[in-house]
Amino acid sequence: MADLLEEQRESWGTRGGFILAAVGSAVGLGNLWGFPYKLYSYGGGAFLIPYILGLAVVGFPLLILEFSLGHYTQRAAPDAFKHGHKKFEMVGWWGIVLGFVIITYYPVILAYCFSFLWYSIQGIIGNGDLPWAGEGLEGVDKAKSFFFDNYLGYTEGTSLGAIRWNIVLPLLIAWVCMYFCIFKGVNLVGKIVWLTVPLPWLMLLILTIRGLTLEGSMQGLAYYLDPTWSELAKPETWRYAFGQVFFSLSLAFGVMITYSSFLHRKSDINNNALIITISDFATSFIAGLAVFATLGAMAFVTQQEGNAVGVENVAQTGPSLAFVAFPYALAQLPYSAWFSLVFFFTLITLGIDSAFSITESVLASIVDKTGWPRAIVLPVISLIGIGFGFIYITEGGLNWLGIVDGFVNGTRGIMFLGLMEAIVLGWLWRLSILRRHANSRSDWNLGRWWDFAIRLVIPIILGTLFFWQLFEDINNEEGFLRSPDGKWNAPNCVGVGILIAAPLISFIFSFIKSKHNDNTTAATTDDLPVKGRFIGLVSFLVAVVTSVFFIISMKSENSSINLAGFSALAIGGIAATVLSMYVLEKYDSGNCRTSWFARWAGIFGIMEISAFFARFLYEKSAAVTNAEAETVRSHELTGVSYAILVVVFLIIIGGLGWCFYRAIAAASKDEAEQHPDEVGDEPKELKW
Ligand code: PFF
């Protein structure tokens, strides 16, 4: 272990470099179109509840988990997981493979941005007109047709069609930019992000101020913020909110593990994670203000001209928000070409550091594992990425981009992997090592709540969402993979194919011989005495018996047997979880090993609890979706919207203020007191 900690690994240079790089990865295209669009579509201000909850309860604790794992092991994701146990390595690769899927399409969106940047420049050089500019509802059609017909040559359906040669050059430009940002290693990245993070913030601020000072902006904000509470009863709202948390914080793709593996040995973990979480949220929220204020102003202009275009006419999907609605809205306003230039340049600077963060994590994982030179691995990854990118620059490419994105970033993809991460590190590793490690160098200490979040709360939430999705897929009347009349559903088959291929490829990768011979930790191997076997065995049996009873009871026609089985699932789950938690709490941080029975009983128990909740919610949500009510949007900001604005700004300003205060307070303390560097110490806060 000592060798590992003292190894000279390349580093970010400064704490700021790391924070900005991680913020750069987190803050991306997802913030400017993903978040505002999802918020608008799933309940307006009400969406903030699942989103903030997701950030606080799942996103932030997982970010700390990833930072501490990367920092502790000083390895990119696969080797970092392998450090726990050889068998865990696959979990690391899994995220890398899914990340790789993202870098096949994310640069394609950057390519669109490069093209639209070029059109804006042409507008500036020419007579100031943008090629999609038009008025009223006809103008909307013109903007739509410019993006979908002229630019994408878009065709509906699942066939790919011809390659759009006009997008090839922009795609190559996107990849060349990414290449040059990372080819020299993270030290250079740490410098580039001083430009690619503050610059889009500045431009977002310009767009927000401009939007808010235009007449009619408030009606746009009403669309954005006025809550539709009934949306909270829909499963999609929760799934999209949690999915957006994962995507936005770049969680479970191995990026944050890799980035923190390059972090200086004495650097903070906990406070950095909080700063990054809040900054990411702030960017999303403010991006939404910019987008909807501008759309509101657009609606106002068109109303004045007697050819009204409502916000709902243009804000339909993520891509059309960025490449139809916003361009159209800007075209209605003075200096449109200039502001369009600012907008697309903002998108590029937002997206580029997210895109190269994934490439870097794939690259570092391969380099760490094989020892092959970066100078060879990076061009190979880039060429493969460009090759796959051609799929999405075809006439049907945007459809496939949406399909693949939906699977990878949804409950079945990345959130399932987040569940695996929490289970592996929470139940099969010694979580206390990571907490101790994080606390030993952070501005403030994590309490026991973090262990509970990783072991219980996160797996139960993600497990529930996963099973809920599973029940829906299984009971899908149209057939999820194949319809009752025998027709295959191509998008779902491809999506599921990717999701099944990811663990298989990861499994194969985990057999590649590593350049490093890291010892695994005492969590799984040593010759320490095993404790808690009896209670572990009992709880394991409880979990197995109740699960079997549940499955058998489901086959019965008798509703009271069904109910008994369902109740057994909950009772068995709770009993197994509580007992194994007790064993883990008692033995896991001492000089002994915790029985595997207890560990697996805990995992089993959590799955039972999740399945119970999921079943319950599935039945409830089926009722809600059937009786779906039409949402009526108001055109004026209500008192509740103002209250939401105030609360959100208080969270952002108060949260960041607190983080900076803690950082300054810690920096002014005695160094020695602040960083007891030994990892093998007893945890600071063992007591309840
Ligand atoms: N967080 C980025 C965004 O919000 O656009 C996207 C992203 C970057 C996802 C890196 C995943 C990742 F590993």
Side-chain angles (χ1 to χ4, degrees), residues 25-31 102 106 247-250 253 255 354 357-358:
S25 172
V27 168
L29 299 171
N31 297 61
I102 294 193
Y106 203 85
F247 185 72
S248 198
L249 285 181
S250 312
F253 292 99
V255 171
S354 301
S357 73
I358 318 180

Side-chain angles (χ1 to χ4, degrees), residues 199-211 286 290 346:
L199 199 62
W201 274 341
L202 182 73
M203 291 191 287
L204 260 185
L205 208 66
I206 296 176
L207 290 171
T208 312
I209 293 173
R210 175 184 167 80
I286 291 171
T346 309

Side-chain angles (χ1 to χ4, degrees), residues 625-667:
T625 329
N626 291 340
E628 206 169 301
E630 245 326 287
T631 314
V632 184
R633 295 273 183 178
S634 87
H635 290 270
E636 305 237 329
L637 271 183
T638 58
V640 184
S641 310
Y642 282 110
I644 289 174
L645 262 179
V646 172
V647 170
V648 169
F649 276 108
L650 278 181
I651 292 177
I652 294 171
I653 296 167
L656 283 179
W658 186 80
C659 291
F660 289 123
Y661 163 73
R662 294 305 298 241
I664 292 165

Side-chain angles (χ1 to χ4, degrees), residues 399-688:
N399 297 327
W400 282 99
L401 195 153
I403 293 164
V404 174
D405 181 61
F407 273 90
V408 171
N409 285 315
T411 335
R412 312 176 187 97
I414 205 61
M415 280 152 77
F416 180 72
L417 192 56
L419 170 68
M420 299 283 289
E421 209 174 82
I423 284 182
V424 163
L425 297 175
W427 287 91
L428 303 179
W429 224 58
R430 251 184 194 188
L431 193 59
S432 53
I433 294 183
L434 293 182
R435 182 157 58 88
R436 235 179 305 159
H437 178 78
N439 283 348
S440 71
R441 54 211 73 224
S442 291
D443 297 340
W444 47 266
N445 281 356
L446 284 173
R448 297 299 294 274
W449 65 266
W450 185 71
D451 296 14
F452 286 99
I454 302 291
R455 281 201 185 124
L456 285 181
V457 183
I458 296 177
I460 290 177
I461 292 178
L462 297 180
T464 303
L465 290 172
F466 176 75
F467 281 120
W468 193 352
Q469 176 86 63
L470 195 70
F471 292 148
E472 281 191 3
D473 291 347
I474 292 171
N475 295 317
N476 188 332
E477 276 166 18
E478 285 154 27
F480 180 63
L481 293 178
R482 202 172 178 185
S483 65
D485 54 11
K487 264 196 89 204
W488 289 99
N489 179 329
N492 287 354
C493 290
V494 171
V496 170
I498 293 175
L499 296 185
I500 292 178
L504 290 182
I505 296 172
S506 317
F507 183 68
I508 296 168
F509 279 3
S510 62
F511 285 101
I512 301 173
K513 204 171 150 23
S514 179
K515 153 179 103 139
H516 302 283
N517 237 343
D518 298 345
N519 294 326
T520 49
T521 64
T524 51
T525 49
D526 298 342
D527 21 85
L528 298 169
V530 176
K531 289 279 171 72
R533 197 174 268 151
F534 177 70
I535 304 182
L537 185 61
V538 171
S539 48
F540 189 77
L541 288 177
V542 168
V544 173
V545 170
T546 46
S547 296
V548 172
F549 177 58
F550 168 69
I551 293 169
I552 296 171
S553 76
M554 282 296 114
K555 302 225 164 0
S556 161
E557 304 275 290
N558 184 330
S559 62
S560 40
I561 295 186
N562 294 159
L563 190 68
F566 195 46
S567 321
L569 190 71
I571 295 166
I574 293 172
T577 310
V578 169
L579 284 177
S580 34
M581 266 309 266
Y582 167 77
V583 174
L584 240 71
E585 287 297 317
K586 191 154 174 215
Y587 301 117
D588 218 31
S589 41
N591 270 336
C592 53
R593 265 197 302 156
T594 312
S595 153
W596 282 104
F597 280 120
R599 295 179 186 278
W600 283 102
I603 297 173
F604 224 133
I606 288 207
M607 291 302 107
E608 286 189 285
I609 298 176
S610 308
F612 172 82
F613 281 137
R615 179 93 213 162
F616 176 76
L617 290 168
Y618 169 70
E619 267 151 32
K620 280 259 170 259
S621 72
V624 171
T625 329
N626 291 340
E628 206 169 301
E630 245 326 287
T631 314
V632 184
R633 295 273 183 178
S634 87
H635 290 270
E636 305 237 329
L637 271 183
T638 58
V640 184
S641 310
Y642 282 110
I644 289 174
L645 262 179
V646 172
V647 170
V648 169
F649 276 108
L650 278 181
I651 292 177
I652 294 171
I653 296 167
L656 283 179
W658 186 80
C659 291
F660 289 123
Y661 163 73
R662 294 305 298 241
I664 292 165
S668 61
K669 266 207 226 149
D670 184 4
E671 265 282 300
E673 212 181 295
Q674 202 197 131
H675 297 294
D677 221 318
E678 290 308 312
V679 170
D681 293 348
E682 272 308 298
K684 284 181 187 160
E685 299 167 48
L686 253 184
K687 303 250 155 35
W688 285 83

